[in-house]
Amino acid sequence: MNIAADLQALAPCDSLYVSPHHDDVLLSCGARLLAEAGRGLRIVVVTVFGEPGRDWPAVGALEAAGVRRIALGLPDARARSDYYSTFQALVEGRRADDDRWVKQLAPALTDVGHRSKASQVYVPLGVGSHIDHRLAHEACLRAFQSGDGRNVFLYEERPEAFVRGAVRVRLGQLGARLPPAAAQAADRVRLAPFLWRFHVAPSLRGDLSGWPERLRSTGLAARQWRQGRAWHPQKGFGPRLQPVVHATAGAQLEPVRALQAALAPSGGRAATRVARLSAAYARRLGAGEHAERFWLLLPPREEGGITTVPEVDEPLPARAG
């Protein structure tokens, strides 16, 4: 595996975002990124998979943000192997040699973390279970889980998180453990609505097309739903997480809407559909017109045999130095 970027030239930053593909960070936490840039924070986005040099949309607020981009240039799933030519393989499959990518990617991300000195790190949660997102998630946890004085946030991928129950499925796959007050954040959903909406995200991404393929994915969706149903938020043995909601309102809404429209799939009514799904998602979070949810990675702590977690407030970080 050859890393395309020259990591030795990386200058310090305040916030580091890791994006499996070139658009995932903008889709999933564009509002947070723009808000941090508006406060003068120095931002670096590291893209793991895909050819370097992919352009971002020409949105004024994004261009003014001064984001530095690093592309590691690793081949994405379908470029790595024909095995990933089907949607089911992308979501449920995993090749034996994928572990090699994680083992080599994690040190590169560790190096990025040390050189950047970022106090805030944003990494993919893996909602939707796409293999590239799963691999990036695992490598990020290996690279950043120790903390080293930084806050590590797992972001919910969009549009996958728009499907009610999808975040719960992913938290169940990870065996995440939530504090008691956050147990209701991973909302339950009945099987029928989940099956009906499951195709939304992969259809918008172009991974799933046509009703025949959607129908074939029903069994996969049912298996994922059962994973989420079996999970207990306070009995997991995986990462300890606490939800953090970033709401956008007032004058900040317009650039976020412009970015969201620019990222929507072209043709038809995709932009309107994405805006509607985004608004419904924000309402579920109780956060007005636009919101993004992150999961703060908490260190395990034992006191008298009882595991406890700290209360978390969520101001935007101030610029360092």
Side-chain angles (χ1 to χ4, degrees), residues 285-310:
L285 299 182
E289 295 186 50
H290 186 92
E292 297 164 353
R293 185 166 58 184
F294 303 84
W295 295 84
L296 177 64
L297 187 62
L298 300 170
R301 187 173 63 181
E302 299 287 341
E303 292 184 359
I306 301 176
T307 305
T308 62
V309 295

Side-chain angles (χ1 to χ4, degrees), residues 75-183:
D76 62 25
R78 286 177 169 163
R80 292 196 302 272
S81 173
D82 290 340
Y83 170 77
Y84 292 118
S85 60
T86 68
F87 174 67
Q88 181 172 349
L90 284 173
V91 174
E92 290 189 314
R94 182 169 182 141
R95 288 170 50 86
D97 61 358
D98 283 333
D99 290 338
R100 173 174 61 89
W101 295 97
V102 174
K103 289 177 182 178
Q104 296 185 53
L105 175 58
L109 292 174
T110 300
D111 191 23
V112 169
H114 288 323
R115 293 181 184 277
S116 71
K117 298 180 172 60
S119 57
Q120 314 287 332
V121 179
Y122 300 88
V123 306
L125 177 60
V127 182
S129 301
H130 188 290
I131 182 59
D132 289 346
H133 289 239
R134 284 182 277 145
L135 298 181
H137 168 87
E138 292 175 26
C140 285
L141 288 194
R142 293 190 186 190
F144 304 123
Q145 188 162 230
S146 63
D148 294 332
R150 64 172 71 97
N151 291 321
V152 179
F153 296 94
L154 282 62
Y155 60 80
E156 297 181 357
E157 289 93 333
R158 296 166 174 243
E160 287 78 10
F162 293 157
V163 178
R164 191 163 192 164
V167 172
R168 184 182 184 88
V169 165
R170 181 55 179 163
L171 294 174
Q173 291 173 341
L174 298 176
R177 183 163 181 151
L178 311 183

Side-chain angles (χ1 to χ4, degrees), residues 4-319:
D6 179 12
L7 300 182
Q8 293 184 352
L10 180 61
C13 68
D14 301 301
S15 293
L16 173 66
Y17 291 77
V18 179
S19 188
H21 305 108
H22 82 286
D23 57 355
D24 286 312
V25 156
L26 297 184
L27 285 166
S28 306
C29 36
R32 177 77 167 199
L33 185 151
L34 291 178
E36 290 191 334
R39 292 175 61 93
L41 272 66
R42 301 161 296 178
I43 298 170
V44 169
V45 174
V46 176
T47 301
V48 177
F49 297 104
E51 291 293 327
R54 298 286 299 275
D55 290 333
W56 275 356
V59 175
L62 182 61
E63 294 175 334
V67 176
R68 285 174 286 159
R69 300 176 62 191
I70 298 174
L72 301 185
L74 306 186
D76 62 25
R78 286 177 169 163
R80 292 196 302 272
S81 173
D82 290 340
Y83 170 77
Y84 292 118
S85 60
T86 68
F87 174 67
Q88 181 172 349
L90 284 173
V91 174
E92 290 189 314
R94 182 169 182 141
R95 288 170 50 86
D97 61 358
D98 283 333
D99 290 338
R100 173 174 61 89
W101 295 97
V102 174
K103 289 177 182 178
Q104 296 185 53
L105 175 58
L109 292 174
T110 300
D111 191 23
V112 169
H114 288 323
R115 293 181 184 277
S116 71
K117 298 180 172 60
S119 57
Q120 314 287 332
V121 179
Y122 300 88
V123 306
L125 177 60
V127 182
S129 301
H130 188 290
I131 182 59
D132 289 346
H133 289 239
R134 284 182 277 145
L135 298 181
H137 168 87
E138 292 175 26
C140 285
L141 288 194
R142 293 190 186 190
F144 304 123
Q145 188 162 230
S146 63
D148 294 332
R150 64 172 71 97
N151 291 321
V152 179
F153 296 94
L154 282 62
Y155 60 80
E156 297 181 357
E157 289 93 333
R158 296 166 174 243
E160 287 78 10
F162 293 157
V163 178
R164 191 163 192 164
V167 172
R168 184 182 184 88
V169 165
R170 181 55 179 163
L171 294 174
Q173 291 173 341
L174 298 176
R177 183 163 181 151
L178 311 183
Q184 299 304 315
D187 51 353
R188 292 179 177 273
V189 64
R190 295 191 303 274
L191 177 59
F194 184 72
L195 294 180
W196 180 249
R197 293 292 184 185
F198 178 78
H199 70 276
V200 168
S203 297
L204 287 170
R205 284 191 182 269
D207 292 329
L208 193 64
S209 60
W211 279 107
E213 196 170 7
R214 293 179 186 180
L215 291 173
R216 287 194 296 271
S217 72
T218 301
L220 185 158
R223 288 190 294 275
Q224 288 202 347
W225 179 84
R226 285 193 291 270
Q227 287 178 324
R229 185 185 184 189
W231 169 66
H232 192 296
Q234 293 178 261
K235 294 183 179 180
F237 293 96
R240 303 183 56 77
L241 305 173
Q242 179 152 321
V244 171
V245 175
H246 177 85
T248 303
Q252 295 180 334
L253 271 173
E254 191 56 39
V256 171
R257 287 171 179 156
L259 179 59
Q260 186 172 265
L263 291 167
S266 58
R269 294 172 292 181
T272 301
R273 188 181 191 191
V274 168
R276 186 174 66 249
L277 291 168
S278 178
Y281 171 83
R283 288 194 297 271
R284 291 208 308 271
L285 299 182
E289 295 186 50
H290 186 92
E292 297 164 353
R293 185 166 58 184
F294 303 84
W295 295 84
L296 177 64
L297 187 62
L298 300 170
R301 187 173 63 181
E302 299 287 341
E303 292 184 359
I306 301 176
T307 305
T308 62
V309 295
E311 293 296 324
V312 176
D313 197 6
E314 202 280 309
L316 282 171
R319 176 167 180 166

